[in-house]
Amino acid sequence: MRRKWGQALRIGVSRSAVAVLRSSRWSGDKLSRLAEQAVAADAEDVHAAIGQAIDTVLRSAACAGHAGWPVSFVLDDDLLRLWQVALPTGATRPQDLAAAAAMRFQVLYGESTAAWSINTGWAAGAPFFGAMPRTLLFQIERAAAAHKLHIVAIVPHFAAAWNRWQAALAKGAWYGLLHDGVLTVAAVEAGVLRALRPLPVPAGAGHDWLNQSLRREALLLDLAAPSKLMLSGQAPLAWRKPSATAGDLPLVWLEPAMAGVDWPASALLARAGSTA
């Protein structure tokens, strides 16, 4: 199909599925789902299986006619490694940032960075870094080239969401991203992201669990408890109801329109960071 000005593709990638969305900056239909494709569950090489799923979904009738289009990939954080780095004083050159990130990676994970591609520019204004397996990067680049798509971005789910919402955070608030049963908490102090904490959300978890978990994280990080938690993504129904307990942490929903959206997890990945 002929591409209109401002149109692009967004592809969400997880271990279980791949989803393709079409976005537009100008039309009334700003974001639409085109197709989803499951990733082979029993594959020995999950990155090759993801590449095959991208190939398959892009060959589908719903995705036909998009050769030459720009495409952004949003990857499930479970496929990557994200971490914080205390940068050396005066470290401003790209080489300094890369060296500090690589050193911290080796300390945290006990392995060389040879098999990983480290990116220092995924999120604006945040002192954290990410590493992507080179084999996964190869599969994404190969599939995009095979379908004549031009990659404009490959970002982690958290980075896409953080870039979208960080400017909206109130003073003293922390940010939370809910996806596929995991709450990724961004502990924020004086407007600066200090730590990331992925917290699996137990079935039936309510306000009590949320309050206890955030207070515990604040103590572990030696930070003041947040004044509120500002959330994006899809949340348990119990969290959308006001807490009846005095002193519970206020919750602010950054995406109220998502309350009734029933999209598969991979499509929600592709949607992350979009203003649609």
Side-chain angles (χ1 to χ4, degrees):
M1 65 178 292
R2 184 175 179 180
R3 175 176 171 260
K4 297 178 182 178
W5 179 258
Q7 286 187 318
L9 295 182
R10 298 173 63 87
I11 300 180
V13 178
S14 73
R15 291 180 182 273
S16 60
V18 171
V20 182
L21 277 62
R22 182 170 59 229
S23 64
S24 174
R25 293 183 180 180
W26 309 116
S27 69
D29 181 20
K30 290 186 177 181
L31 200 63
S32 55
R33 286 167 55 190
L34 297 183
E36 294 89 37
Q37 175 65 42
V39 175
D42 56 351
E44 292 185 8
D45 185 341
V46 68
H47 297 159
I50 287 172
Q52 181 59 49
I54 297 173
D55 276 332
T56 300
V57 75
L58 289 176
R59 285 198 304 268
S60 68
C63 296
H66 290 90
W69 280 45
V71 60
S72 299
F73 288 86
V74 182
L75 308 186
D76 195 334
D77 296 335
D78 182 51
L79 292 167
L80 311 166
R81 289 179 176 174
L82 304 177
W83 70 96
Q84 289 79 43
V85 178
L87 297 177
T89 302
T92 57
R93 298 181 306 164
Q95 302 95 309
D96 297 332
L97 302 181
M103 185 176 299
R104 183 62 175 161
F105 179 95
Q106 292 172 353
V107 170
L108 288 174
Y109 302 109
E111 62 179 277
S112 166
T113 60
W116 297 81
S117 175
I118 295 180
N119 191 306
T120 60
W122 269 332
F128 79 89
F129 298 85
M132 177 182 182
R134 294 188 186 277
T135 51
L136 177 57
L137 177 61
F138 168 79
Q139 291 292 341
I140 289 174
E141 292 178 334
R142 178 198 58 75
H147 295 274
K148 299 180 181 179
L149 299 176
H150 304 298
I151 297 175
V152 296
I154 303 175
V155 296
H157 188 198
F158 174 82
W162 172 261
N163 286 341
R164 170 71 178 89
W165 296 112
Q166 63 168 324
L169 297 184
K171 183 178 180 180
W174 286 9
Y175 171 68
L177 172 63
L178 277 151
H179 178 72
D180 209 14
V182 176
L183 171 64
T184 301
V185 174
V188 180
E189 182 184 47
V192 177
L193 190 154
R194 297 298 185 189
L196 297 180
R197 289 290 187 270
L199 305 176
V201 180
H207 288 270
D208 287 346
W209 175 86
L210 186 59
N211 278 270
Q212 291 172 8
S213 297
L214 294 182
R215 287 168 181 155
R216 181 179 64 251
E217 293 301 327
L219 288 172
L220 291 172
L221 295 167
D222 195 24
L223 296 175
S227 61
K228 62 184 68 174
L229 182 65
M230 304 185 75
L231 291 155
S232 66
Q234 288 188 300
L237 182 60
W239 293 16
R240 294 195 174 269
K241 299 177 180 179
S243 173
T245 304
D248 273 0
L249 192 68
L251 303 182
V252 177
W253 296 99
L254 294 166
E255 294 181 284
M258 288 298 292
V261 174
D262 184 24
W263 283 13
S266 54
L268 292 176
L269 283 172
R271 185 187 186 282
S274 172
T275 57

